[in-house]
Amino acid sequence: MRKNFRNLGHRSGDAEKPGTSRPNSPKKTGTSRSSYSIPPLIPFFIILCAGIITSEHLPGFQMPALCLAIFFVISLSFIYFIPDNLPRIISFTFSKKVSLLAIFFLVGYYLAHTVFHPFLPENHVVNFADKGDYEITGTIASEPEELWKRVKFSMDIHSVSKEMVNHDLIKKNELPEKNGKLPEGKSKLPETKGELPERKGKLPERKGKLPERKGKLPERKGKLPERKGKLPERKGKLPERNDKVPERSEAMGKVQVNIYTPLETYRKGDLLKFRTDIRSLRNFNNPGGFDYVRYMRMKDIWGRININGKKVEVIKRGLGSGNSFRKDFIRFIEERIKDKNAAAILVALTTGYKDLIPDSLRHDFSVTGASHILAISGLHLSMIATIFYFCFNFLLSMLTPLLIRGWSRKLAALLTLVPLFWYAVMSGWSPATRRAMIMIMMFMAAWVTERESDGFNSLSAAGILILLLEPEAIFSISFQLSFSAVLFILAGIYLVRLNHNYLIREHNCLNVEKGSNLTVIYQYIKKIPFMKQVINLIWISFFATLGTQILVMHYFNVFSFSGIFTNLIVIPLIGFISLPLGLVSLGTYSFFPDLASALVSVAGYILSSCIYYIRFLGALSFTSIETFTPDGLEIFFYYFFMLLLFMRIAESIKKRDKTEISVFMLKGKSVRVIMLVLIIFSSFLYELWWIKKRFFNHEMVVTILSVGQGSSALLEMPYGKTVLVDGGGFSYFSRFDTGEHIIAPFLRQKKILTLDAVVLTHPESDHINGLVYIMEHFNVGELVKNPDKRTTSAYKDLMTVVAEKKIPLCNIVGADNIFEPILIKKLGKAEMHFLHPVKNFLEVSGGNDDVKVSGKRGKIENIKKGKTKNTVDYNNHSVAFRLIFGNNTIFFPGDIMSYAEVNLSQRYGNKLKSDILVSPHHGSSTSSTDFFLDNVAPESVIISCGWDNRFGFPHEPVIKRYMKRNIAIYRTDLNGAVTLSSDGVRWKISPSVKSLVTLQN
């Protein structure tokens, strides 16, 4: 290994003593040559990552990549056998490196292509998605996860058939029903009640023979008359036989199954049969949004099934995955620890089951920088490995032959893998655990082969092996956090030891009188018992935070100032005390329950203390802040800056140590200083560009977000003013929060942390549920809503947040006879004209059905289905407003229906004219009446609705009305988020997905 990394991994006790000299070290006089080179495996790891990323973003070249890889392998083999005495056009060493790098790139491209863009046969499950109901059989492939009122697992599909046929009925000559009725002319055989009586005696034998026929049949006289004309041609096809058994076709592929209100307990390996449809996986398709399809493909899942437990039949029971032992131990912990939070954390640490941890506790761990403790990863495995290694090494060191030959450390490292593997299996053997296990095994291998100083090479080798086995791991959050944390720990400890060795040589620290004041203090502190370990833990926590903070901001949008102080207390207590106690109790509770119970109680007490400490820090306002989302270029700037800074600090230390200075280093210094200045200047310019885009933009941008069956829109006014209209939301039975998972990430990736106003059109679940999270985690200047009040939990939570944060509240309501806007809000050069609702309309409003309108003034003739004007509907109370910027207008009508549309049209007439209309009530047939559309006269309409929603929105009559008027139609279920930008003169409409809207889709 190069000199730069020679001391990496060495213990501080291995440093030189004063008065001694290193036999292989160069003299301090002169300028010896020292190459500042990169560890050899790092370029191969980087180029492998580049190949995987290229394949994910630029697919379609799988076979060319494979052919080129084979070509470079053959070329490399020829290079090795070419004699050295032949004339050289290019350096053989250079050719070998280029060939190897090309092979790694192409292999990465090919492997990633098989994961993200594989070849799927005709019988793959994706070809059966969204095509109706099937009879499906399959095997549960993962351990079922019990959630609220449902069970979730992945299932391997074996076969599908379009029709479900009862084969027993066919054998009985009973024809299957079709669409709930029997075909004409067919009837079921009468059912037999009871058992048939047994026959008594025998049938009488026949006496005599049948009489013989006398004479012959008379011959036919004459011929049959010939047929005149032709038979009429058959129209249509013969009806299919109803008694035909459809052939069952084999299928392959994995789907995610959600069984609601399950009636049985399912386990891994069960063979199930049911009839339902297979739905394809879809993204919301918002700018910068989470790629759910890619995430599921990384799990090799290609569809989803939602079904009621009554329709599921268990054909054959499986053996399970042996997790009953884990479930018993979970119950054992819950019975012994009174503090449910402490019990939940101990369960997560020992078994990997995290669903018991409440969201509030997760939030406390996140804001204090300790969330990594809750998920089993390399941190937990490394702590377990450290404990068992020291125990094995202590025991083996007592054997003199092993100690003399130096085998005790190597054997201890090998034995450590046994309990480490056991812990990884008992904790669920998750992908993150597998990758951490591989990484630790590589470092153990380096330790056994006495190459522990090659820390960077060991890390690179582990990364290469992981990506060759799981190319999709590069997009995993756990892999990125673990790899960056270990990389920065190695680099940081290298700098610390490099500087420490320099101080020992230069200042002769063991002689206190000759040392500097700072050095003397440092040495005195290190002599305090366990202080050396505390200092090392501080350094490790600091460098791990330094390496992962930008990724934590990118994925979790939090910056913790208390991470070092939290980890300094929590990691030793949880990692080196509570976790080992939990593992020992896991291994002994079946044989020594009293001992296991005592260990679990001690671990629970320690965890309760840690939770109290974390909540104390989390309650302090200055411990953490919520941040925007750094993009890919900002992450690149950060890590490239840290790389140059690392090289600059290492060079500065070596410059003081004259043994390392060289002409090459001086030249490298100039290059690195220039690059450091350039990267700082580039990042500064990039942030200035973001500031200009965010606060000094002259255009208005409106984004109609895709939030499923709901509605939400972001209005970005010129010069930084922002307004959020509604927050979307699923039903109250769903745990998916559109505010947390869709709207908040979208706002943060646009660097928006403050909203000037939030508009709630009406307090229905598909508009209000996502706003609670937004009001809690963003700075909101004002809440604008209608006067309606509801008793739902979402409305109560929203009003509680408004009261606690003292957010101004504005209720929109106007006089009944008003013909001008109720309220005009000016936001820079843009204006919001609020038009609805009016006071008297809140008391007398139409119901859910269409009204029949006649005449140019929209006279109401009748209300369908017996509805009267006194039927109250909260949709008709929606806040409706026009957004005006220059000559461009867009109309937001909320969920108003026919009666409210007539009221608006009668009061404002053609003043409703707008360039763009957000379709009322998600495209329902109860809205978008002809009279209303004639007054608004939009050129484009945007329908906010969920894909394949249970209401059937948008309804076909509404689409026909839009097409009749040549209105351009955009739908969030087909087009994703729709971005509208205006310079005050013309609109530019940019859907996330370009899809033509027709009556068929």
Side-chain angles (χ1 to χ4, degrees), residues 936-948:
V936 178
E939 298 175 1
S940 303
V941 64
I942 296 146
I943 306 173
S944 180
C945 59
W947 175 75
D948 196 23

Side-chain angles (χ1 to χ4, degrees), residues 265-283:
T265 301
Y266 304 98
R267 60 188 180 184
K268 186 177 180 181
D270 287 352
L271 181 63
L272 307 181
K273 182 177 74 171
F274 45 78
R275 180 175 176 80
T276 186
D277 62 326
I278 303 173
R279 295 196 172 191
S280 59
L281 302 174
R282 299 176 69 90
N283 290 324

Side-chain angles (χ1 to χ4, degrees), residues 368-370 373 560 562-571 613-614 617:
T368 54
I373 296 176
S560 176
S562 60
I564 297 177
F565 305 102
T566 304
N567 293 322
L568 185 63
I569 302 297
V570 172
I571 288 180
Y613 174 69
I614 286 176
L617 292 179

Side-chain angles (χ1 to χ4, degrees), residues 497-672:
R497 288 177 175 173
L498 191 68
N499 186 62
H500 176 69
N501 293 339
Y502 163 75
L503 291 177
I504 291 178
R505 290 194 300 270
E506 193 70 18
H507 298 284
N508 196 5
C509 292
L510 295 182
N511 188 347
V512 177
E513 296 180 356
K514 294 183 180 181
S516 62
N517 293 332
L518 185 61
T519 305
V520 171
I521 296 173
Y522 181 73
Q523 290 301 315
Y524 270 123
I525 291 177
K526 291 190 65 177
K527 290 181 180 180
I528 301 175
F530 300 106
M531 188 54 64
K532 179 180 178 181
Q533 287 75 15
V534 172
I535 293 175
N536 290 337
L537 184 61
I538 292 175
W539 279 122
I540 291 174
S541 179
F542 171 74
F543 290 121
T545 303
L546 199 65
T548 59
Q549 187 58 64
I550 190 71
L551 293 177
V552 171
M553 292 172 60
H554 178 75
Y555 290 112
F556 306 107
N557 302 107
V558 63
F559 185 93
S560 176
F561 298 100
S562 60
I564 297 177
F565 305 102
T566 304
N567 293 322
L568 185 63
I569 302 297
V570 172
I571 288 180
L573 292 178
I574 294 181
F576 293 105
I577 300 180
S578 297
L579 179 57
L581 291 177
L583 290 181
V584 174
S585 63
L586 176 62
T588 59
Y589 93 100
S590 299
F591 309 101
F592 307 101
D594 294 336
L595 174 61
S597 178
L599 296 177
V600 166
S601 299
V602 174
Y605 177 78
I606 295 173
L607 289 172
S608 297
S609 303
C610 292
I611 293 173
Y612 178 81
Y613 174 69
I614 286 176
R615 284 185 166 169
F616 170 76
L617 292 179
L620 303 176
S621 58
F622 56 84
T623 55
S624 65
I625 58 173
E626 295 191 8
T627 67
F628 58 82
T629 302
D631 57 25
L633 194 56
E634 288 171 323
I635 294 174
F636 170 77
F637 284 152
Y638 175 81
Y639 281 117
F640 197 66
F641 170 78
M642 296 306 298
L643 172 64
L644 296 176
L645 185 62
F646 163 78
M647 298 172 70
R648 181 69 185 90
I649 294 174
E651 184 181 33
S652 176
I653 297 174
K654 290 185 176 185
K655 185 177 180 180
R656 292 182 297 174
D657 190 355
K658 297 181 181 179
T659 58
E660 299 289 345
I661 194 169
S662 66
V663 177
F664 177 81
M665 292 290 290
L666 290 175
K667 290 182 178 179
K669 173 186 175 182
S670 302
V671 174
R672 282 187 288 275

Side-chain angles (χ1 to χ4, degrees), residues 9 22 552 762 786 876 898 962:
R22 292 172 295 176
V552 171
H762 64 296
N786 65 7
N876 272 327
S898 304
Y962 295 151

Side-chain angles (χ1 to χ4, degrees), residues 349-537:
L349 293 175
T350 53
T351 65
Y353 187 73
K354 299 180 293 183
D355 291 344
L356 298 178
I357 303 176
D359 294 337
S360 59
L361 187 59
R362 292 174 186 266
H363 178 264
D364 292 334
F365 271 79
S366 178
V367 298
T368 54
S371 58
H372 56 280
I373 296 176
L374 301 179
I376 295 177
S377 60
L379 173 66
H380 304 75
L381 293 181
S382 61
M383 289 187 293
I384 295 299
T386 301
I387 294 172
F388 278 100
Y389 171 77
F390 280 110
C391 292
F392 286 134
N393 188 38
F394 174 76
L395 296 175
L396 294 174
S397 298
M398 296 180 180
L399 301 177
T400 306
L402 296 179
L403 185 62
I404 294 176
R405 290 176 173 83
W407 292 352
S408 59
R409 294 172 56 192
K410 297 179 181 179
L411 192 57
L414 294 176
L415 291 176
T416 301
L417 296 177
V418 177
L420 205 62
F421 181 77
W422 174 78
Y423 174 54
V425 173
M426 292 304 300
S427 63
W429 195 242
S430 64
T433 305
R434 293 196 300 266
R435 291 190 286 266
M437 186 71 187
I438 292 174
M439 192 173 294
I440 291 179
M441 289 175 63
M442 294 303 298
F443 279 96
M444 287 291 188
W447 187 271
V448 171
T449 57
E450 298 183 355
R451 298 183 63 87
E452 62 268 23
S453 60
D454 294 347
F456 292 103
N457 273 329
S458 299
L459 180 62
S460 300
I464 291 173
L465 181 59
I466 290 171
L467 294 181
L468 289 177
L469 296 175
E470 302 177 15
E472 67 275 13
I474 192 173
F475 300 105
S476 170
I477 300 175
S478 61
F479 176 80
Q480 295 175 11
L481 291 175
S482 299
F483 196 87
S484 59
V486 176
L487 178 64
F488 271 71
I489 289 173
L490 290 175
I493 297 300
Y494 166 69
L495 291 179
V496 171
R497 288 177 175 173
L498 191 68
N499 186 62
H500 176 69
N501 293 339
Y502 163 75
L503 291 177
I504 291 178
R505 290 194 300 270
E506 193 70 18
H507 298 284
N508 196 5
C509 292
L510 295 182
N511 188 347
V512 177
E513 296 180 356
K514 294 183 180 181
S516 62
N517 293 332
L518 185 61
T519 305
V520 171
I521 296 173
Y522 181 73
Q523 290 301 315
Y524 270 123
I525 291 177
K526 291 190 65 177
K527 290 181 180 180
I528 301 175
F530 300 106
M531 188 54 64
K532 179 180 178 181
Q533 287 75 15
V534 172
I535 293 175
N536 290 337
L537 184 61

